[in-house]
């Protein structure tokens, strides 16, 4: 019972945090995603690879920000662990690993990165973009965990939802530590509004996680 209460209170607090997203995913997405689960798993594997690669790049490019290196080093291992587990789900189902797909969502987000400013400002931009991707992934994993029929995948996405929520918090907290808190909060609001616009204008596809 204690564990159930803990999970329930965790779900409530996550829901609150996730409410920062300005636009919920179109409910039709989860149905078409379930019909294309092979494509979703392949796209998902690449999302995990990009998450790990992105953390490695941040560590290498911002080696002089101690907290970034400390916080993101274990995140690389977690994201790579997720990649391995998605690959395992592909294998178990007899699906092949396909080539990387164009990630319109991330391309659009990257267009919003503010150039120039101090290194702390540049780093903040990357941290906020990563936080958004984690938050949206968390929301999508939650939809999958609630609505798809495959019991194993339901459990898998529930677990990943919790993990990505933790990463979302990691990125936001890092930004607030390395740069002015009020400026970070103001910029975060702009990013949230921009992400909602991006999502609104993206085609709903059953072969993409975002
Ligand atoms: Fe992940
Ligand atoms: Fe993540």
């Amino acid at each position: 019972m204690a564990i159930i209460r803990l999970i329930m209170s965790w779900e409530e607090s996550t829901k609150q945090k996730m409410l920062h997203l300005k636009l919920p995913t179109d409910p039709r997405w989860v149905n078409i995603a379930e019909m294309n689960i092979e494509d979703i798993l392949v796209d998902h594997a690449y999302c995990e690879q990009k998450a790990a690669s992105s953390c490695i790049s941040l560590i290498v490019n911002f080696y002089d920000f101690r907290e970034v290196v400390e916080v993101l080093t274990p995140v690389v291992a977690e994201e790579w662990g997720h990649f391995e587990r998605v690959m395992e789900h592909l294998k178990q189902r007899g699906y092949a690993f396909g080539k990387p797909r164009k990630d319109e969502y991330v391309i659009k987000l990257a267009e919003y990165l503010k150039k120039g400013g101090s290194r702390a400002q540049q780093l903040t931009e990357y941290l906020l973009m990563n936080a958004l991707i984690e938050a949206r992934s968390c929301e999508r994993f939650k939809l999958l965990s609630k609505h798809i029929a495959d019991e194993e995948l339901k459990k898998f996405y529930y677990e990943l939802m919790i993990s990505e929520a933790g990463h979302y918090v990691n990125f936001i907290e890092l930004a607030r530590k390395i740069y002015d808190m009020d400026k970070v909060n103001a910029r975060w609001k702009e990013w949230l509004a921009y992400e909602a616009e991006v999502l609104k204008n993206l085609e709903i596809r059953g072969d993409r996680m975002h």
Side-chain angles (χ1 to χ4, degrees):
M1 278 310 281
I3 290 174
I4 293 169
R5 269 201 303 275
L6 189 73
I7 291 171
M8 282 172 72
S9 70
W10 181 87
E11 269 200 320
E12 280 313 304
S13 67
T14 303
K15 220 183 279 170
Q16 290 305 314
K17 284 172 194 153
M18 288 310 122
L19 285 178
H20 290 167
L21 291 171
K22 297 292 175 211
L23 190 71
T25 288
D26 187 315
R28 288 172 297 174
W29 172 78
V30 74
N31 302 108
I32 54 170
E34 187 171 21
M35 289 188 285
N36 294 283
I37 206 71
E38 179 174 1
D39 280 320
I40 284 292
L41 285 169
V42 173
D43 193 57
H44 179 189
Y46 283 111
C47 291
E48 299 296 354
Q49 170 267 311
K50 281 177 278 188
S53 300
S54 165
C55 287
I56 293 173
S57 297
L58 286 171
I59 290 166
V60 172
N61 293 320
F62 295 94
Y63 58 87
D64 46 338
F65 290 81
R66 189 181 45 83
E67 301 99 320
V68 170
V69 177
E70 276 175 14
V71 172
L72 297 187
T73 296
V75 177
V76 173
E78 285 174 38
E79 301 292 22
W80 200 250
H82 294 170
F83 175 84
E84 276 189 292
R85 291 179 65 193
V86 180
M87 294 300 269
E88 198 49 46
H89 281 292
L90 278 168
K91 198 171 147 189
Q92 278 170 14
R93 286 164 181 76
Y95 299 150
F97 184 40
K99 62 178 183 185
R101 288 101 197 272
K102 194 174 177 192
D103 194 335
E104 300 281 357
Y105 175 72
V106 171
I107 291 169
K108 283 279 164 208
L109 288 186
E111 286 172 8
Y112 196 61
L113 286 163
K114 220 184 256 178
K115 306 257 181 338
S118 65
R119 276 171 59 70
Q121 270 171 289
Q122 285 169 31
L123 173 55
T124 300
E125 287 293 299
Y126 288 117
L127 293 172
L128 295 183
M129 185 175 105
N130 276 279
L132 262 181
I133 299 170
E134 295 289 352
R136 183 60 71 189
S137 303
C138 181
E139 190 234 14
R140 297 253 158 142
F141 292 168
K142 183 177 180 178
L143 287 172
L144 291 168
S145 77
K146 278 192 154 179
H147 301 291
I148 63 175
D150 185 314
E151 284 301 326
E152 260 186 58
L153 286 179
K154 265 174 116 73
K155 272 187 227 145
F156 177 57
Y157 280 115
Y158 184 80
E159 216 185 294
L160 258 57
M161 168 187 82
I162 295 173
S163 176
E164 311 304 2
H167 298 159
Y168 159 76
V169 172
N170 288 151
F171 283 117
I172 285 280
E173 285 182 352
L174 273 175
R176 288 177 178 147
K177 256 183 216 157
I178 63 128
Y179 194 51
D180 179 272
M181 174 98 76
D182 292 338
K183 285 182 184 159
V184 168
N185 292 341
R187 183 63 179 150
W188 178 235
K189 279 190 188 154
E190 291 177 355
W191 269 106
L192 285 168
Y194 178 75
E195 196 260 359
E197 271 310 298
V198 167
L199 200 70
K200 204 162 77 185
N201 295 312
L202 272 185
E203 184 194 351
I204 305 164
R205 298 177 59 154
D207 59 349
R208 292 290 192 278
M209 189 54 90
H210 299 110

